[in-house]
Amino acid sequence: MAITLVNPDGLPAIDVYRQVSVASGSRLVFVAGQVAWDAEGNTIGAGDLAAQVEQCYLNVATALAGIGGTFDDVAKLNVHVVDWTPDKMPLLLEGISRAAAKLGTTPVPPATLLGVAALDVPEHMVEVEATAVLD
């Protein structure tokens, strides 16, 4: 595994992600922002933020598997949520938790959460992009 996740002393320990990732691998991988599409391009979970978050994370995992990687190789996530407000956090965490259960891992690399006005199509509520490092 090319990624070590750390919460350094002097920074708050956040349950849902680590503050720092240290990469020792040699292949840098950039996964395009994944939305809640299935393999045929159908939107999953229209109007359901948790379902869309889950699908986005599963799509990131599928992209990584396609090149021989897993979520354990992710060094950084960027999560873009349409019309973000803090009261949406439980739905975001629910979606991540459901994806983690299906993937058999806890995806906790450093992450940035950004509120955005809109995404590619009106049905999409969230987009997740990843940077990974593989040996």
Side-chain angles (χ1 to χ4, degrees), residues 27 59 67 78 87 100 108 116 129 132:
R27 292 173 52 206
N59 287 350
I67 54 136
N78 290 322
D87 63 310
V108 293
V116 297
E129 63 180 304

Side-chain angles (χ1 to χ4, degrees), residues 1 15-16 29 39 43 49 51 56 58-59 61-62 72 76 80-81 86 95 100 109 111 117 119 122 124 131 133:
M1 182 169 43
D15 289 338
V16 296
V29 177
T43 298
L49 180 60
C56 291
L58 294 175
N59 287 350
T62 298
D72 291 334
K76 176 78 167 70
H80 304 85
V81 181
L119 292 171
H124 291 159
T131 302
V133 179

Side-chain angles (χ1 to χ4, degrees), residues 58-96:
L58 294 175
N59 287 350
V60 168
T62 298
L64 291 169
I67 54 136
T70 70
F71 241 102
D72 291 334
D73 299 309
V74 174
K76 176 78 167 70
L77 292 171
N78 290 322
V79 180
H80 304 85
V81 181
V82 174
D83 297 326
W84 173 258
T85 56
D87 63 310
K88 294 180 181 179
M89 184 61 83
L91 293 172
L92 179 77
L93 296 176
E94 177 186 337
I96 294 169

